[in-house]
Amino acid sequence: MSILQGLESMFGGHPQPSAQSDAAAQEGGAPSQQQLQEMLGHMDPQHLQQIFSQAAQQMNPQEYAQHVAPGAGGTDPLGSLGSGGLRTVATTLLQHLGGSAGGGGIGAMLSHIPGLQTTDPNQMNSSDVAKIAQYAQQNHPDAFGRAAAQIGQQQPGLLPSFIGNAGLAIGAAALASHFMKNIH
């Protein structure tokens, strides 16, 4: 499978089948999370951070809020990650927001998020993580981008629930552009 076909598959496009993707389908499915991790893992982390930071800036805040808010549209994408995945997303977001907090610290930053029940990632529910993710996307897109890049490189299966279809589409377009520039 080509890199572009892999990106399209991972991010919801409609690639042309290849012999390798046909074999993967016969063995039980679509391109794997491992293939996505390999693609993202070969990217320069700083470039990937830039891509996801730009995606955060381009995503419609209301659409993103609807994506991550538990119960919106009858879904709970962050809640579907289970406690381990949810904790990973929360910890990664808090880690990168901490670098954006400036002199006031992360606690002061998080105190501005209405309805946040806890700042302990081990005790956060999907609503708390959604609130922090929305806050980061709207107010600290660089921290959001760093978090998305880290999640994408370390646990790509969590990325769709975290950044949503719009973020994936924007990221996929930027990634495809990156790979096209390197091909020519």
Side-chain angles (χ1 to χ4, degrees):
M1 172 185 311
S2 76
I3 290 174
L4 291 176
Q5 288 172 328
L7 287 170
E8 289 173 351
S9 293
M10 298 301 164
F11 295 123
H14 303 286
Q16 297 300 313
S18 68
Q20 189 176 8
S21 64
D22 288 344
Q26 290 174 356
E27 291 178 5
S32 70
Q33 291 177 13
Q34 180 182 355
Q35 290 169 317
L36 174 60
Q37 188 170 7
E38 287 174 14
M39 282 187 275
L40 296 177
H42 286 96
M43 290 200 62
D44 172 49
Q46 289 184 330
H47 186 73
L48 195 57
Q49 291 170 10
Q50 290 173 339
I51 287 171
F52 286 122
S53 294
Q54 290 172 356
Q57 293 171 8
Q58 293 175 17
M59 291 185 319
N60 179 307
Q62 289 79 23
E63 287 178 16
Y64 183 68
Q66 286 217 318
H67 165 71
V68 294
T75 65
D76 186 5
L78 293 173
S80 70
L81 296 177
S83 62
L86 192 60
R87 188 172 34 256
T88 296
V89 171
T91 301
T92 305
L93 272 168
L94 291 173
Q95 171 190 356
H96 291 289
L97 278 170
S100 300
I106 186 116
M109 178 188 295
L110 296 178
S111 70
H112 291 85
I113 302 175
L116 187 63
Q117 299 297 311
T118 181
T119 58
D120 180 353
N122 295 312
Q123 295 184 11
M124 287 184 178
N125 60 28
S126 60
S127 179
D128 291 326
V129 178
K131 289 173 184 162
I132 293 172
Q134 290 171 38
Y135 175 81
Q137 185 259 332
Q138 292 175 22
N139 299 292
H140 298 279
D142 289 339
F144 183 94
R146 289 190 304 271
Q150 181 177 338
I151 290 167
Q153 289 190 312
Q154 294 177 356
Q155 292 190 300
L158 303 179
L159 198 58
S161 295
F162 174 50
I163 67 172
N165 290 337
L168 287 173
I170 294 166
L175 285 169
S177 174
H178 167 78
F179 285 115
M180 291 302 291
K181 287 178 186 175
N182 288 336
I183 291 172
H184 289 86

